[in-house]
Amino acid sequence: MTLRLNLVLGGLLLAAVAGTAATASVWTPFNPVAVNLRRRLAAPTDPYWLGTDEFGRDVLSRLMVGASTGLTVALVTVLVAMALGITIGLLAGFFRGWTDRALMALNDALLAFPGILFALGLLTVIGPSKWGIVLALGLAYAPAVARVVRGSVLSLREREFVEASRALGNSEAYTLWRHVAPNCVSPLTVLATSMFGWVILSESALSFLGLGVPPPAPTWGNMLAAARPYLETATWLSIAPGVMIALSLLGTNLLGDALRDILDPRT
Amino acid sequence: MIGYAARRLVAAIPTLLLVAASVFLLMRLIPGDPAQLMLGDAATPEEVEALRRSMGLGEALPLQFAHWAGAALTGDLGRSITNGLPVLPLILERFGVTALIVLVAVGLAVLIAVPLGMLAAWKQNRPADLAVVGFATLMLSIPSFWLGLILLLVFGVWLRWLPVVGFVPFSEDIGAALAYVVLPITTLVLIEIGALTRMARAATIDVLRLDYISHARAKGLSEFTVLRRHALPNAFAPTLTLIGLVLGNLLGGIAVIETVFTLPGLGRLLVEAIFQRDYPVVQGVMLFVAAIYVAVNLFVDLAYPVFDPRVTAE
Amino acid sequence: MIAPLLAVSDLRVGAKPDIRAVDGVSFSMAPGEILALVGESGSGKTATARAVIGLLPPGLAVTGGRIAFAGAPLTPATLRPLRGPGIGMVFQEPMTSLNPALPIGVQMAEGLALHTRLRGAEIAAACRAMLDRVGIADPTACLRAFPHEFSGGMRQRIMLASVMLLRPRLLIADEPTTALDTLTQAEVLDLMVGLTREQGSAVLLITHNLGLVARYADRALVMRRGRVIEEGAARALLAAPREPYTRALVDALPRRGPPAIPRPPSEPLLRAEALAVDFAGRRRFFARGRAVQAVRGVDLAVHAGESVALVGGSGSGKTTLGRAMLRLVPASGGRVLFRGQDITAVRGAALLPFRLACQIVFQDPYSSLDPRMRIAEIVDEPLRLVPGLGAAERARRTDAMLDAVGLAEFGRRHPHELSGGQRQRVAIARALVREPAFVMADEPVSALDMTIQKQILTLLRDLQRARGFACLFISHDLAAVGEIADRVVVMQEGRIVEEGSRDAVFDAPRHAYTRALLDAAPRLEALVA
């Protein structure tokens, strides 16, 4: 029962955010970057449902574009981290021996950085931009994927159906492809879902610090950063972007829990 | 046990070396001449050349790393470009605030989250459990900096109970200092409760299924004793690992909280240094935080056998 | 008549959507009596016993009936103080029934501290005496040790000590030795019965193994689908079962098959020569841990068409020897010969003829089938490597094979939709579909219910008769292989200690270890005689 609720609620929340993002790519109520100083810091009323910011830009329009940016960054970052991590993890788990030891030593060293710190360091090198964030966060999260993939491969190798495949005379490569890889899909799906949430959170944190997507392009993170000085005078600026981040994360977390229940019979 | 501790300690050394190498290489990846970057555009070619020589930039990369790491071991992390001060004292000065907030917050979060998670597991699928899980999932979904802003809004702006901007060192006025750190700590506690409660609940559910819990009940022990004595240590072991990760991630991500509450902590130092392209400081902070993270995880590994003695046995 | 110690009447245990795990069970036990509750998985025997001590798993609840202990009705309130000194329980899985985080002394002491006036040194003395009684060599050291430092058999002794320390009037033993090998099983059960007789405790023994019933119980209840279907004195029940299901259970007990037909001497099909397998110790920082010699120079030959049983306790090296002969683990010494050819170092495509001819059936049907493949795909996969086989021919052979193991309708299903017995049929089909000359079966039935075990063994024997492959059965249960083996090989600590025709080994065992194995494994003809 709870499982269904997770799935439905999580799915609906994410669908709503994704729908907002999709709409933003074809239509927004106002131009999200058009400055109108006569209308600055207008409280939420009729044409500006969520008010305007310190440059008189429509908050709703900026929020919608922010959704599009946030989801795109999260999606591409997860794909980058997955591609990198799966490659490293499969190589390490498949070849074992010194390849495994070398790759995992490097991997563990990268995991010895808190993820966001590593991304901060990379951003120092790359410089703040949308694709810079994708690269930095993708590199920062890839070691976690590699770890899960390698762990799954190693534990699957011990399972009797893999041994049975070897006893049949199947080659190592065939066994890896036909029996090991498909069984890694479930844990990776769960991980990818969680990671999607982490990336949304990290991206908005970096943008909040001014190290993410640079203004004037709106993201939820940089909107919150810009709202901080107006906390007392224009409260609405601090509310809406946070609600959007929280809803996206809630949707992701609920969906992740549901997937875990469905795909992982242990819990 | 001693063998296990020794193995863990020894295993931390190559990790630290690789961490140092990553930090070093990362800063070398920045396009441009490090000496020029450090001195800025106003420097004369002679000054740049002098710095190049003193930094040993003409040497092979491994040799440069050896010099840098050697100096770092003696506490010499170089000097800040912006104000010329040595980096390590700068870090240590800022680290106090950060360490205080993070440690107190994680400590409080664990004290709340573990009993809460165990309660939820004990009442699995009943209303109390659903309430706890719902609350934890919600907390997990709220970005820390936004929760900070909202708390500031409520307690600082609307209720005016606490100051909105600023910081007073504890050495000057303990009462005032407390007023400035209450909200950041509350924010972090609430945020970290999310992940920790869910972990404690999941771990407890796994443990409560096992026969030794039935065995404890079959002895006639009260439910409270069963939970405290038999479930708690076993459920705490996986949570302990998470605490290590949480501590590290907080140290890495503390910058946002310090920005919201305008606290002069390590995170602000890092972000400011990134903006000012003060690379020795960036490098120093990254190395420092990563080293602390390695140390925290080492401590977790060393504490683990207290809760699960099986790990010492290979 | 003596007042009953335990009286259960019309007990019902269920879960919410109309699941009846226990459906109106009534029985009573006299003080000091040993009552066996016999049944297969899903019979409700464990739920019945757990309902008595109030430890039903989450989701299950008592929905009706009465339980009285020593004349007083059991309610949650009256039960708590009775747990321990009134009713004790020994669990099935020795690996999880002791708390891994607490020293054994602490776990043993807490029951005494709660239920008796003993304190400090008296408690320690009582614990030491009990550990000594259950055969722990160094009780003082044991009190300080943690559970993971002991083997399964030792843990089950410690568990027994911990429970019997409180002198319970009723001991519930839920499959207490199912996870142990035959030899250890007999030792632990002898100890349990001895201890309870000393203390005058009654025992409610839950088991699927009728052999144990005959050996240890006074009376037995046979359960099926939540109901008691037959009840009686243990030996009488076995000698003359009234219900067809009880008869099926009795028939499932191992008995010796017809004597082997002597076959003319021939070149061995598969042969191990001075075969040795070492497992490297774990790498440490300063040195490599000591290597474990799992197999220490073994000679073993299997001839075409014969059935050889390889028997030994856990850790005897029997499984490792089997896998080394199949080239699944590398040998560290000696040779493996297949049809007279040394294949010890052959790799890649050159090994294919050997792979095509030699197959394996694993112990655990839950782990040996790829959960993501359909049954027909699993059975078809081996044919992929048979040269010159068209798609139509492959499909025909897959269907024929599935039909031969009685799973003609199951091709499109996934493993998780099948029962344990059905999965093991799939594993057999996968091993046989290429018509191998040799099949190794590693404890092929030990994870299954008794009646299913019988079916699977019968199936294997019939298939072997029809197809004429040679078979190497690996088992810890000497009696169980008597039915199918022509020849028996006994292993202990990596070496073969006895080898001979089945009848020679059974009737005149030469090695003490073989004799112990034979004594430990109850056979029907010995039990009811």
Side-chain angles (χ1 to χ4, degrees):
Chain A
M1 185 205 83
T2 40
L3 182 149
R4 285 268 175 76
L5 195 70
N6 281 347
L7 194 65
V8 171
L9 207 61
L12 280 178
L13 280 173
L14 274 191
V17 178
T20 313
T23 315
S25 61
V26 290
W27 175 83
T28 50
F30 294 90
N31 182 344
V33 291
V35 175
N36 182 351
L37 291 179
R38 280 179 301 159
R39 287 301 227 147
R40 67 191 295 264
L41 298 177
T45 47
D46 185 10
Y48 307 105
W49 293 336
L50 293 178
T52 63
D53 68 4
E54 72 278 17
F55 293 111
R57 298 173 297 197
D58 177 42
V59 171
L60 178 60
S61 305
R62 293 178 66 73
L63 220 51
M64 290 172 68
V65 175
S68 157
T69 313
L71 291 195
T72 314
V73 167
L75 202 64
V76 181
T77 304
V78 169
L79 289 179
V80 168
M82 283 282 153
L84 271 174
I86 289 173
T87 312
I88 297 171
L90 280 182
L91 282 178
F94 184 62
F95 287 111
R96 296 192 278 190
W98 70 265
T99 320
D100 181 26
R101 282 206 285 283
L103 283 173
M104 281 304 122
L106 190 64
N107 207 56
D108 287 348
L110 296 184
L111 278 176
F113 290 95
I116 188 116
L117 181 77
F118 189 58
L120 276 174
L122 284 169
L123 279 174
T124 318
V125 178
I126 308 166
S129 74
K130 187 162 145 185
W131 301 115
I133 292 244
V134 168
L135 193 60
L137 289 176
L139 284 173
Y141 286 129
V145 182
R147 188 127 251 215
V148 169
V149 173
R150 174 179 174 270
S152 304
V153 171
L154 290 188
S155 83
L156 283 166
R157 286 183 88 117
E158 304 297 315
R159 296 277 294 276
E160 286 182 337
F161 67 83
V162 171
E163 202 176 357
S165 171
R166 227 173 285 145
L168 288 177
N170 289 324
S171 67
E172 286 287 294
Y174 173 88
T175 304
L176 187 75
W177 177 248
R178 190 76 177 86
H179 296 288
V180 175
N183 284 292
C184 294
V185 170
S186 296
L188 281 179
T189 312
V190 173
L191 180 67
T193 316
S194 314
M195 196 175 281
F196 190 78
W198 302 339
V199 174
I200 290 182
L201 191 60
S202 303
E203 180 269 319
S204 53
L206 290 173
S207 294
F208 180 76
L209 291 174
L211 291 165
V213 183
T219 66
W220 298 333
N222 69 24
M223 288 172 75
L224 279 178
R228 171 72 176 84
Y230 306 98
L231 191 59
E232 301 188 40
T233 49
T235 310
W236 62 90
L237 291 179
S238 299
I239 305 284
V243 171
M244 287 304 284
I245 303 175
L247 288 182
S248 315
L249 289 180
L250 193 61
T252 311
N253 286 330
L254 290 174
L255 204 64
D257 289 351
L259 283 177
R260 199 176 323 231
D261 287 347
I262 296 166
L263 296 174
D264 183 1
R266 280 177 310 152
T267 45
Chain B
M1 176 62 212
I2 292 166
Y4 169 81
R7 281 199 302 281
R8 290 286 138 188
L9 277 168
V10 172
I13 293 171
T15 311
L16 266 179
L17 255 175
L18 277 166
V19 161
S22 323
V23 171
F24 175 78
L25 280 177
L26 200 61
M27 291 302 125
R28 281 290 182 274
L29 283 177
I30 297 167
D33 178 12
Q36 181 77 58
L37 284 170
M38 282 190 167
L39 291 175
D41 296 335
T44 63
E46 291 74 34
E47 285 172 333
V48 173
E49 192 47 43
L51 184 63
R52 281 186 65 85
R53 206 165 304 126
S54 78
M55 282 175 73
L57 286 177
E59 295 172 344
L61 210 57
L63 217 57
Q64 288 185 35
F65 173 63
H67 286 162
W68 176 77
L73 269 184
T74 64
D76 175 12
L77 292 172
R79 284 172 180 277
S80 159
I81 296 173
T82 44
N83 53 21
L85 294 172
V87 171
L88 188 64
L90 213 56
I91 289 175
L92 291 177
E93 185 196 326
R94 300 290 199 98
F95 182 58
V97 186
T98 306
L100 171 86
I101 291 173
V102 167
L103 282 179
V104 173
V106 171
L108 285 175
V110 170
L111 286 181
I112 298 168
V114 170
L116 207 58
M118 290 187 70
L119 176 81
W122 190 53
K123 295 269 178 201
Q124 199 189 350
N125 292 335
R126 309 247 199 93
D129 176 33
L130 294 181
V132 170
V133 170
F135 170 71
T137 308
L138 191 68
M139 283 302 130
L140 196 65
S141 308
I142 294 180
S144 58
F145 49 99
W146 185 57
L147 184 64
L149 278 178
I150 298 299
L151 290 181
L152 261 187
L153 187 64
V154 174
F155 295 100
V157 177
W158 291 344
L159 298 174
R160 305 225 170 260
W161 289 356
L162 294 163
V164 178
V165 172
F167 177 72
V168 174
F170 276 78
S171 48
E172 286 176 20
D173 180 347
I174 290 187
L178 271 179
Y180 284 106
V181 295
V182 163
L183 280 186
I185 288 175
T186 311
T187 308
L188 290 183
V189 168
L190 284 172
I191 294 295
E192 295 312 332
I193 278 179
L196 289 170
T197 303
R198 287 162 52 103
M199 177 54 117
R201 173 180 177 271
T204 309
I205 286 175
D206 281 349
V207 167
L208 286 183
R209 268 199 275 260
L210 296 175
D211 275 346
Y212 61 79
I213 296 297
S214 296
H215 178 199
R217 286 180 176 144
K219 277 185 230 172
L221 301 179
S222 70
E223 279 298 292
F224 181 73
T225 310
V226 170
L227 283 176
R228 184 180 57 83
R229 215 203 312 238
H230 290 276
L232 177 61
N234 292 290
F236 192 68
T239 315
L240 183 68
T241 308
L242 183 67
I243 293 172
L245 297 178
V246 159
L247 261 174
N249 279 320
L250 273 186
L251 281 175
I254 192 73
V256 282
I257 287 295
E258 291 172 0
T259 304
V260 170
F261 294 102
T262 58
L263 295 173
L266 199 56
R268 275 317 295 168
L269 180 67
L270 176 63
V271 172
E272 283 157 13
I274 291 176
F275 281 133
Q276 293 160 348
R277 308 201 154 263
D278 192 345
Y279 296 117
V281 174
V282 175
Q283 208 171 27
V285 175
M286 284 194 65
L287 184 64
F288 185 82
V289 174
I292 298 259
Y293 191 41
V294 171
V296 165
N297 282 317
L298 182 65
F299 179 77
V300 165
D301 279 351
L302 293 181
Y304 204 91
V306 175
F307 303 99
D308 188 352
R310 284 172 296 185
V311 294
T312 57
E314 304 214 24
Chain C
M1 182 180 165
I2 331 155
L5 178 69
L6 179 72
V8 173
S9 60
D10 198 31
L11 178 70
R12 288 163 198 277
V13 175
K16 276 246 170 71
D18 201 37
I19 293 172
R20 293 184 203 165
V22 179
D23 193 9
V25 163
S26 305
F27 66 93
S28 66
M29 286 178 73
E33 185 186 26
I34 300 183
L35 174 69
L37 215 50
V38 192
E40 298 187 306
S41 44
S43 63
K45 57 188 195 301
T46 295
T48 303
R50 283 188 170 248
V52 169
I53 194 169
L55 290 175
L56 286 169
L60 279 184
V62 173
T63 52
R66 283 184 311 280
I67 306 173
F69 185 76
L74 277 188
T75 64
T78 57
L79 185 60
R80 252 288 298 292
L82 279 175
R83 282 182 186 166
I87 309 173
M89 180 156 177
V90 176
F91 297 86
Q92 172 173 4
E93 192 43 74
M95 292 305 167
T96 59
S97 55
L98 290 167
N99 189 335
L102 296 178
I104 283 157
V106 171
Q107 301 190 49
M108 289 182 74
E110 60 186 4
L112 284 178
L114 184 70
H115 296 291
T116 68
R117 287 158 188 270
L118 299 181
R119 287 295 168 261
E122 298 163 320
I123 289 184
C127 292
R128 274 197 299 273
M130 185 51 88
L131 285 174
D132 187 53
R133 171 67 186 83
V134 299
I136 299 291
D138 185 351
T140 313
C142 176
L143 287 179
R144 282 195 305 269
F146 287 94
H148 70 264
E149 297 169 44
F150 295 89
S151 69
M154 282 297 152
R155 286 192 212 188
Q156 212 59 326
R157 286 165 189 262
I158 292 167
M159 178 80 197
L160 195 60
S162 163
V163 174
M164 295 310 288
L165 203 52
L166 301 175
R167 308 184 74 86
R169 294 158 72 191
L170 169 64
L171 177 70
I172 297 175
D174 184 4
E175 304 264 14
T177 56
T178 307
L180 308 174
D181 69 37
T182 324
L183 217 50
T184 320
Q185 200 168 15
E187 288 166 10
V188 170
L189 280 174
D190 287 341
L191 185 64
M192 185 181 91
V193 169
L195 255 174
T196 48
R197 290 260 188 261
E198 275 168 33
Q199 301 191 355
S201 313
V203 181
L204 182 59
L205 175 66
I206 291 114
T207 182
H208 68 280
N209 187 338
L210 276 187
L212 300 184
V213 174
R215 199 165 187 148
Y216 297 104
D218 303 321
R219 213 149 53 84
L221 259 58
V222 180
M223 284 190 70
R224 187 183 197 198
R225 292 182 191 146
R227 294 168 186 272
V228 174
I229 58 160
E230 188 163 358
E231 179 177 358
R235 272 164 199 267
L237 198 82
L238 285 184
R242 291 187 304 272
E243 292 290 321
Y245 178 69
T246 316
R247 182 171 302 282
L249 280 180
V250 172
D251 285 344
L253 277 175
R255 61 192 75 201
R256 215 191 287 184
I261 310 134
R263 52 188 76 244
S266 62
E267 173 79 1
L269 180 68
L270 188 63
R271 179 166 174 189
E273 269 185 11
L275 193 63
V277 181
D278 295 347
F279 288 123
R282 267 187 69 128
R283 278 163 49 89
R284 297 191 179 208
F285 278 96
F286 306 111
R288 198 175 262 277
R290 266 187 53 195
V292 180
Q293 292 176 296
V295 179
R296 309 174 179 207
V298 165
D299 292 296
L300 177 64
V302 180
H303 298 260
E306 75 169 338
S307 234
V308 181
L310 182 57
V311 183
S314 47
S316 62
K318 58 188 191 302
T319 294
T320 309
L321 171 62
R323 304 225 163 160
M325 286 176 75
L326 276 188
R327 288 282 322 272
L328 290 172
V329 295
S332 45
R335 301 197 297 166
V336 181
L337 298 150
F338 173 61
R339 296 199 163 118
Q341 245 188 330
D342 185 352
I343 55 148
T344 324
V346 178
R347 341 187 114 259
L351 198 60
L352 190 61
F354 169 70
R355 290 277 181 236
L356 289 176
C358 298
Q359 276 308 304
I360 178 169
V361 176
F362 292 93
Q363 169 176 12
D364 181 1
Y366 290 88
S367 153
S368 70
L369 306 179
D370 187 337
R372 298 202 153 250
M373 287 170 79
R374 293 181 192 279
I375 301 308
E377 291 176 302
I378 292 172
V379 178
D380 170 75
E381 195 192 6
L383 297 174
R384 196 179 72 89
L385 293 168
V386 179
L389 217 53
E393 174 64 9
R394 273 170 68 166
R396 197 194 59 74
R397 279 177 67 171
T398 303
D399 288 347
M401 193 66 235
L402 278 174
D403 195 40
V405 297
L407 293 176
E409 309 296 315
F410 288 73
R412 300 215 27 90
R413 300 203 194 174
H414 283 102
H416 66 87
E417 298 169 273
L418 269 58
S419 69
Q422 289 168 337
R423 288 179 197 220
Q424 205 56 305
R425 285 167 189 267
V426 176
I428 291 169
R430 172 176 62 191
L432 294 184
V433 71
R434 291 198 301 216
E435 289 168 4
F438 171 82
V439 172
M440 187 180 103
D442 186 1
E443 305 266 12
V445 296
S446 62
L448 305 172
D449 271 328
M450 288 292 276
T451 51
I452 309 296
Q453 287 192 7
K454 179 79 171 185
Q455 290 170 9
I456 296 292
L457 285 179
T458 309
L459 174 74
L460 260 176
R461 197 189 51 209
D462 293 349
L463 286 168
Q464 197 192 2
R465 274 191 198 138
R467 297 170 180 236
F469 53 87
C471 200
L472 180 67
F473 284 100
I474 296 175
S475 176
H476 69 270
D477 187 350
L478 189 49
V481 299
E483 198 159 344
I484 39 174
D486 304 327
R487 213 144 57 78
V488 173
V489 177
V490 182
M491 259 186 106
Q492 186 188 19
E493 287 170 10
R495 291 198 178 85
I496 288 177
V497 295
E498 178 149 9
E499 184 174 0
S501 78
R502 183 207 48 209
D503 292 334
V505 171
F506 274 40
D507 295 333
R510 292 187 309 270
H511 197 274
Y513 185 65
T514 316
R515 280 196 292 276
L517 280 177
L518 277 171
D519 288 342
R523 290 199 318 282
L524 186 66
E525 52 264 38
L527 291 173
V528 290

